[in-house]
Amino acid sequence: MFVNYTVPEHSRRRSIAITVLPLFLAALHGCATVTPKSNADPDTIVELMWPEPPLKTRIKFLGNLASEHDLRIGRTWKEDVVQFLAGGPPPFAQLANPVGIALSADAQRVYVTDLPQAKVFIFDLASKELRSWSREETKLSGPMGIALDADENVYIVDSYENAVRVFDRQGKPLRTFGHPSFHRVTQVAVDQKRGRLYVSDTAHQNVSDHRIKVFDLTGEFIKDLGNGKGDLEGHLLFPTYLSLDDKGQLYVSDTMNGRVQVFDPESGKVVAVYGERGTAFGQFERPKGVAVDSFGNVYVVDSAWANVQIFNAKGQVLLFFGGRGRYPGLMNNPTAIAIDKDNRIFVADTQNFRLNMYQLVNTTAEDSFTPADAQPPTVSSSPKAASPQAAGPAQVVTGMN
């Protein structure tokens, strides 16, 4: 079970209380610190996991996806490290800057948008093949957000063209649509049950229309979500990544407000807020990708801190993983995140030119919640001093045992 204590609550009235776990001081003093080795001997290479033994591991690094080579050889995390230490030129057909991820329902195909190459890559984990759709084939100039409907049709935001382009799973164009109110659309999410498409309009500094646009799957406009530019609840400031839970609630990375807001799909009202700008656990500098696992835990990528923080449904911080670095399993300006039905976690490690794959392990639904009679620990350091940013590249906040 988790045992945690409460730090000062978010100031907005419907925000979720931020809590952290009692063993974080021990973690900060080195019991959960990963130190990558400097040679290529597989026997001395450190497997990245969070937290490290003797604590029970919850997140394990599985490996990277960057090219077809990664699929064909079935590379392990150790082989990723060996290649990293050995250096050498990358394969020709490789990710450059992945910024969007979508997963097929059977968890066998990983769709990735690559902005500078204006390509879509499809990693087929079953056939161990990599396919790609080129700019010439798709007419995409700035592919960013990507999502799938129930038929595995592919919805891609072309940010440079301010449009949404739709393809079938073979890459055949189906339709393109936009809206007169679009300023700078970036990300997309599909609610398969309700037949809705959500598009984030990140907009610009000099416009007030920072909102989420809602369409049906044919491209017919339905409504706006959000109250426009601002920092009050329900307002947005440069919204980016989107995700949905099994209730159809929409999670919006309100990036420049340093938080994630959750909107009810019918009323459009905010039902929860995760985090705020700051350097404590449960706070963010530059939140980007957001996703929900099968237990209802919420994963938020912080591009500035190069890590992922995990919250339970009550907004309590469970742990964080990652950290800045080039070593396989660490991150450099990560952006998108997606989680499959088996709680395998894919993170777009954008400035390391790859996807990082992790696995949630040793975890049940009960592990996400705190006994009501848990006693808070005595804390001698400030939340800022124990922040994910200050903690170093691969340290962990955890109370799982």
Side-chain angles (χ1 to χ4, degrees):
M1 286 292 196
F2 288 103
V3 181
N4 49 61
Y5 75 100
T6 303
V7 298
E9 292 188 6
H10 194 289
S11 60
R12 297 176 179 87
R13 62 181 175 86
R14 199 180 283 114
S15 300
I16 293 177
I18 299 169
T19 63
V20 294
L21 305 175
L23 296 183
F24 80 93
L25 289 177
L28 292 176
H29 284 88
C31 75
T33 301
V34 175
T35 305
K37 305 300 182 182
S38 59
N39 60 68
D41 180 357
D43 292 332
T44 63
I45 291 171
V46 174
E47 179 180 9
L48 296 190
M49 61 184 70
W50 294 267
E52 280 191 321
L55 299 177
K56 182 182 289 187
T57 298
R58 302 294 178 163
I59 299 290
K60 291 185 69 173
F61 173 62
L62 299 180
N64 298 129
L65 285 177
S67 69
E68 188 170 38
H69 185 61
D70 299 323
L71 290 170
R72 288 191 178 277
I73 67 172
R75 178 183 292 158
T76 66
W77 64 269
K78 286 188 176 182
E79 290 164 319
D80 283 323
V81 173
V82 170
Q83 185 188 53
F84 163 75
L85 295 171
F92 175 73
Q94 175 164 330
L95 295 174
N97 284 102
V99 294
I101 306 172
L103 304 176
S104 63
D106 61 3
Q108 294 302 310
R109 288 166 298 286
V110 184
Y111 293 77
V112 185
T113 51
D114 191 303
L115 182 61
Q117 297 189 81
K119 281 186 175 182
V120 178
F121 289 83
I122 303 98
F123 292 88
D124 193 314
L125 306 180
S127 66
K128 299 188 183 302
E129 295 178 339
L130 174 63
R131 305 188 301 277
S132 64
W133 302 343
S134 69
R135 182 199 306 256
E136 291 72 27
E137 295 169 310
T138 63
K139 310 305 179 186
L140 291 164
S141 57
M144 293 192 68
I146 184 168
L148 309 177
D149 67 16
D151 297 319
E152 209 168 314
N153 294 318
V154 185
Y155 296 72
I156 300 174
V157 170
D158 191 333
S159 188
Y160 295 167
E161 300 297 328
N162 256 343
V164 177
R165 301 187 186 275
V166 188
F167 305 85
D168 68 17
R169 60 184 294 180
Q170 283 74 43
K172 176 184 176 182
L174 299 179
R175 56 189 174 276
T176 298
F177 63 89
H179 193 264
S181 68
F182 281 173
H183 296 282
R184 182 167 56 116
V185 293
T186 54
Q187 297 297 325
V188 65
V190 170
D191 184 336
Q192 297 182 2
K193 293 180 181 178
R194 292 173 176 79
R196 290 182 181 176
L197 181 75
Y198 297 95
V199 181
S200 59
D201 196 335
T202 306
H204 301 280
Q205 181 65 39
N206 60 348
V207 299
S208 61
D209 195 24
H210 294 215
R211 291 185 171 90
I212 309 302
K213 312 293 182 180
V214 188
F215 300 84
D216 68 20
L217 297 187
T218 69
E220 187 72 24
F221 179 75
I222 298 174
K223 62 180 180 180
D224 287 323
L225 282 183
N227 299 325
K229 183 180 178 182
D231 61 1
L232 298 177
E233 182 183 285
H235 292 259
L236 298 165
L237 189 60
F238 299 97
T240 55
Y241 285 82
L242 307 173
S243 186
L244 295 154
D245 63 18
D246 57 6
K247 299 176 183 177
Q249 295 181 138
L250 181 70
Y251 294 69
V252 180
S253 282
D254 187 5
T255 297
M256 297 311 293
N257 278 325
R259 64 190 179 187
V260 171
Q261 297 198 70
V262 186
F263 290 83
D264 179 84
E266 303 305 332
S267 69
K269 294 181 179 179
V270 174
V271 296
V273 180
Y274 290 80
E276 61 186 344
R277 185 171 298 284
T279 57
F281 295 117
Q283 297 177 334
F284 304 110
E285 176 64 25
R286 197 68 57 85
K288 292 291 183 69
V290 58
V292 182
D293 70 16
S294 66
F295 303 120
N297 299 318
V298 180
Y299 296 60
V300 184
V301 174
D302 196 312
S303 184
W305 292 350
N307 64 22
V308 179
Q309 293 193 68
I310 307 176
F311 300 77
N312 67 14
K314 294 182 178 180
Q316 298 166 324
V317 181
L318 305 183
L319 61 84
F320 75 88
F321 65 92
R324 188 168 298 281
R326 293 185 56 244
Y327 191 86
L330 301 184
M331 307 175 189
N332 191 6
N333 290 28
T335 53
I337 187 172
I339 302 174
D340 71 16
K341 62 185 180 65
D342 299 316
N343 290 321
R344 186 170 45 179
I345 305 154
F346 298 81
V347 178
D349 190 2
T350 302
Q351 292 300 313
N352 279 329
F353 326 118
R354 64 195 182 196
L355 295 190
N356 294 346
M357 296 183 295
Y358 307 87
Q359 180 71 56
L360 179 66
V361 296
N362 303 322
T363 300
T364 66
E366 290 75 19
D367 292 321
S368 298
F369 295 97
T370 306
D373 58 352
Q375 295 299 311
T378 301
V379 180
S380 59
S381 63
S382 70
K384 183 175 182 180
S387 71
Q389 187 179 34
Q395 294 173 333
V396 180
V397 182
T398 179
M400 304 180 192
N401 50 43

